[in-house]
Amino acid sequence: MRRLLGLTIGSLALAASAALWAPSAKAQVACLPGSDVFCLDQGSKWTNATRKAFYSTDQGSQLMPYAWLKALKTPDGQPFLFDKLARFGYLPDPFRADLPIGFTTSANTSKVWVGMTCAACHTRQIARGGFQFRVDGGPAISDFRALLSDLLDAVNVVRTDDTAFAAFAKSVLGAWASNSAKAKLKEDVELWYLRENTMRERAYPTADIWGLGRLDAVAMIFNRLTGLDLGPPPSYLIPDNIKPADAPVRYPFLWNAAIQDKTQWPGFAGNGTALLGLARNTGEVYGVFATFHPAEDFFKIGNINYNANNSANWPGLRAVEELIKKIGAPKWPAQFPIITALIPRGEEVYKANCASCHNLAPPKAGEPGFPNVPTWATPVQDVGTDSREYDILKREADPGVLAKTSSRLFPKLQVTNPSPAFDLLKYSVIGSILQSWSFAPALVTDFRDSHWTFKTVGIDKAKDLLEDAITLQDTGNQIKYESRVMFGIWAAAPYLHNGSVPTLWDLLQPADQRPATFKVGPEFDPLKIGVAADQPGSYTRTTTGCEDRNSGNSRCGHEFGTNLPIDDKRALIEFMKTQ
């Protein structure tokens, strides 16, 4: 019977491959009239209206003044925005003509800023046979380092070439700008370059440090907060706090992210409520160019004014979280092959080998720390995968202005020099949320969703929930990462937290049989489920094996199902297409 099943699987797979692009009455429709991109079914709550808001809702990120970005040039003299940053892998926004998905504009009292929001790193496009499919909330296949580095090079031309600066100043300020206005612009450009180039030289000096579709998010958040935010004005720099961001991870998928009870790859943050979502998104925006310069202030509880100079957009942060709640897992496209005869067996294999870690289940009692808000359990465990991120989590930093913190606001916080970078980030996030009172609307939402009634929405309640939820556990010698529910996992390749395995089929092989190198790009393999072997670009990811688990690029670990018969592996792959 087993041999017969194997023959059947092989013949069905060949038939499906041959008929891969047969017309289907159930094919997805274009996202917008005239578009050649198909939008996958991601649930009834995910519409063009929610999609539009997700792509461009401002969270308070301030990369640079928008006028600067429009005035900068590429080395061959084209506007820096000539292709809306498509050369870096960012996707065109069908609702706007000027910026790609996930790039925002916001106005303060004096200028319009361009920044980034979640959608820049969490919107994906997959391609096969001429079809293009949009996966909202999926891990982007973009080159963030190349964008930052090329932007720095463009600014460097402006600051070092008088002719280039003259053209830049005319575009930014107008033809009749005064000499003093031009001098102020030059000063601002020099300061921007000093800060951002210091980050480049110390955090991401080489082109291969992350690669396509990855970023060391934790290190970059630590670096921006401790290296660019806490020092003395006007630069606010503490250069020695900036360390190499050499533990790259794949961007996680966002569908269902709002309701898992733990989040971040190492699972160090409680999650699942509006309040905890606000904390998660505040830390994120501090890592993607928010202006944040806390200042000593004796009249503030805790002796620090966390919002003295803070661009975080609290309503925007809450709005983005509400949008994330509406993103459903993408459904397998009707244009892709699926062998329905194998699905029942695949479901049996899944239940026997995968469900104990990845099934939909309620969390343990008392988590995530707020009464009766429904969440999903997210086990955090050591399965032998790459360990480099834990070195990042152990980093320490000069606390800068936060050395002035008193215990009046946070009795648990003891600021020393150096201090754990994790603690400096944690209390910066909590302090700014508490002092801005942005926690109050979030708690109201949580009271509503939990069906509980409280007489007060208090700062002490918010502080206790946040302090308890954002905690770096002592895992001893274990290297633990989250195990999420696998809905839509087919659209989230490459796999493992560091993106070191190209397909689900490869993940079902022992680590020493997984590809040591593979290309990354938008082309999709619907048979193995993951990134196809052939890609339009030239980028190749190189991985290490179990001999170097701490490389940041190790494909080691998660050897579940690797000893299954090949027929069961094939059946499991077909079942995963239905999730």
Side-chain angles (χ1 to χ4, degrees):
M1 181 64 182
R2 179 69 67 183
R3 183 176 301 170
L4 178 61
L5 179 60
L7 291 173
T8 302
I9 290 169
S11 60
L12 283 171
L14 288 173
S17 179
L20 188 56
W21 307 119
S24 171
K26 298 180 180 179
Q28 280 73 24
V29 297
C31 295
L32 290 172
S35 170
D36 61 354
V37 178
F38 291 89
C39 280
L40 298 180
D41 179 359
Q42 294 192 249
S44 60
K45 294 181 179 179
W46 197 245
T47 65
N48 269 342
T50 52
R51 182 176 288 116
K52 179 180 179 180
F54 177 64
Y55 289 171
S56 58
T57 295
D58 170 49
Q59 294 180 289
S61 173
Q62 295 184 339
L63 171 58
M64 67 166 43
Y66 189 28
W68 293 17
L69 185 59
K70 290 190 291 184
L72 291 174
K73 304 292 184 181
T74 63
D76 61 359
Q78 294 189 81
F80 196 86
L81 287 172
F82 77 92
D83 64 349
K84 294 203 295 187
L85 309 182
R87 63 195 184 277
F88 304 112
Y90 295 101
L91 303 173
D93 188 333
F95 305 102
R96 295 182 300 171
D98 52 347
L99 290 170
I101 288 172
F103 285 74
T104 63
T105 54
S106 61
N108 65 6
T109 56
S110 61
K111 59 174 69 80
V112 177
W113 292 83
V114 63
M116 298 177 73
T117 190
C118 298
C121 302
H122 301 279
T123 305
R124 189 189 193 115
Q125 207 139 290
I126 59 175
R128 183 72 182 186
F131 288 90
Q132 298 279 340
F133 296 94
R134 176 65 47 77
V135 186
D136 289 315
I141 307 176
S142 55
D143 193 336
F144 188 44
R145 186 207 176 271
L147 167 65
L148 296 180
S149 191
D150 283 10
L151 196 59
L152 273 159
D153 290 345
V155 172
N156 190 43
V157 171
V158 167
R159 60 181 284 272
T160 58
D161 184 299
D162 291 342
T163 302
F165 179 79
F168 177 79
K170 181 178 180 180
S171 177
V172 172
L173 300 174
W176 306 107
S178 65
N179 289 335
S180 61
K182 294 176 184 178
K184 178 64 167 63
L185 177 61
K186 185 66 177 294
E187 181 181 319
D188 291 344
V189 167
E190 291 286 357
L191 180 59
W192 187 95
Y193 185 83
L194 170 66
R195 285 166 48 81
E196 294 299 332
N197 194 53
T198 301
M199 178 67 72
R200 173 169 61 174
E201 290 177 342
R202 290 172 175 265
Y204 55 95
T206 60
D208 61 348
I209 195 166
W210 304 329
L212 200 61
R214 296 196 305 178
L215 166 69
D216 185 350
V218 171
M220 288 300 285
I221 292 173
F222 285 173
N223 284 337
R224 295 201 73 87
L225 177 85
T226 66
L228 301 185
D229 293 344
L230 305 182
S235 73
Y236 299 97
L237 278 166
I238 307 179
D240 288 345
N241 279 351
I242 301 175
K243 303 293 196 299
D246 55 3
V249 299
R250 170 181 61 80
Y251 302 114
F253 57 85
L254 290 190
W255 49 86
N256 306 322
I259 55 175
Q260 61 185 90
D261 68 331
K262 297 287 184 183
T263 193
Q264 309 300 344
W265 283 117
F268 58 70
N271 190 52
T273 72
L275 178 64
L276 298 177
L278 181 64
R280 164 167 38 86
N281 290 327
T282 299
E284 175 252 335
V285 79
Y286 288 168
V288 286
F289 313 112
T291 298
F292 176 65
H293 301 310
E296 183 180 9
D297 188 339
F298 179 78
F299 295 100
K300 292 287 184 180
I301 297 176
N303 213 37
I304 296 293
N305 183 351
Y306 292 95
N307 296 310
N309 190 359
N310 189 346
S311 68
N313 180 344
W314 308 112
L317 289 166
R318 293 195 302 272
V320 167
E321 186 68 8
E322 290 303 307
L323 290 166
I324 290 172
K325 291 178 182 179
K326 296 178 181 179
I327 303 176
K331 303 299 182 186
W332 183 257
Q335 293 93 334
F336 287 0
I338 184 167
I339 308 174
T340 55
L342 300 183
I343 293 173
R345 176 56 186 162
E347 183 174 12
E348 293 175 2
V349 175
Y350 181 87
K351 289 179 178 178
N353 295 274
C354 314
S356 61
C357 296
H358 296 294
N359 227 25
L360 178 60
K364 296 178 181 179
E367 294 186 11
F370 197 87
N372 293 349
V373 175
T375 56
W376 295 356
T378 311
V380 181
Q381 51 198 325
D382 188 344
V383 295
T385 48
D386 191 279
S387 59
R388 184 65 181 164
E389 185 158 354
Y390 273 75
D391 288 349
I392 306 298
L393 291 173
K394 296 174 184 176
R395 286 182 174 172
E396 296 184 322
D398 180 339
V401 68
L402 295 187
K404 305 294 185 179
T405 304
S406 78
S407 61
R408 290 187 295 163
L409 185 59
F410 301 120
K412 300 177 184 178
L413 176 60
Q414 295 182 345
V415 180
T416 58
N417 191 1
S419 281
F422 182 91
D423 286 350
L424 298 176
L425 172 65
K426 171 179 178 175
Y427 289 103
S428 292
V429 167
I430 297 174
S432 56
I433 288 175
L434 296 180
Q435 288 184 353
S436 67
W437 281 82
S438 60
F439 67 89
L443 279 182
V444 169
T445 298
D446 288 334
F447 294 151
R448 178 199 68 199
D449 292 347
S450 69
H451 309 296
W452 277 49
T453 300
F454 284 81
K455 295 181 179 179
T456 61
V457 178
I459 192 169
D460 289 338
K461 177 68 175 176
K463 181 177 70 171
D464 291 345
L465 287 169
L466 290 168
E467 283 200 88
D468 291 344
I470 307 172
T471 303
L472 193 59
Q473 302 288 345
D474 181 6
T475 62
N477 293 324
Q478 292 187 308
I479 307 299
K480 296 183 176 182
Y481 297 102
E482 62 178 6
S483 305
R484 294 182 59 180
V485 176
M486 293 288 98
F487 295 156
I489 192 63
W490 67 266
Y495 297 104
L496 298 183
H497 74 280
N498 63 344
S500 58
V501 181
T503 70
L504 285 182
W505 181 259
D506 293 312
L507 192 61
L508 290 174
Q509 315 311 316
D512 60 1
Q513 296 178 28
R514 296 168 184 167
T517 62
F518 58 93
K519 289 187 175 182
V520 178
E523 285 293 321
F524 184 74
D525 185 336
L527 299 180
K528 292 183 176 181
I529 303 186
V531 294
D534 293 325
Q535 296 293 339
S538 60
Y539 172 73
T540 298
R541 177 157 301 151
T542 300
T543 66
T544 66
C546 297
E547 78 285 352
D548 191 1
R549 185 186 179 187
N550 200 47
S551 69
N553 294 294
S554 175
R555 63 185 181 275
C556 189
H558 198 279
E559 296 211 13
F560 300 104
T562 57
N563 294 321
L564 287 170
I566 190 170
D567 297 343
D568 284 351
K569 290 181 180 181
R570 292 186 185 275
L572 179 58
I573 289 292
E574 297 305 308
F575 174 69
M576 296 312 299
K577 298 175 182 179
T578 71
Q579 297 302 290

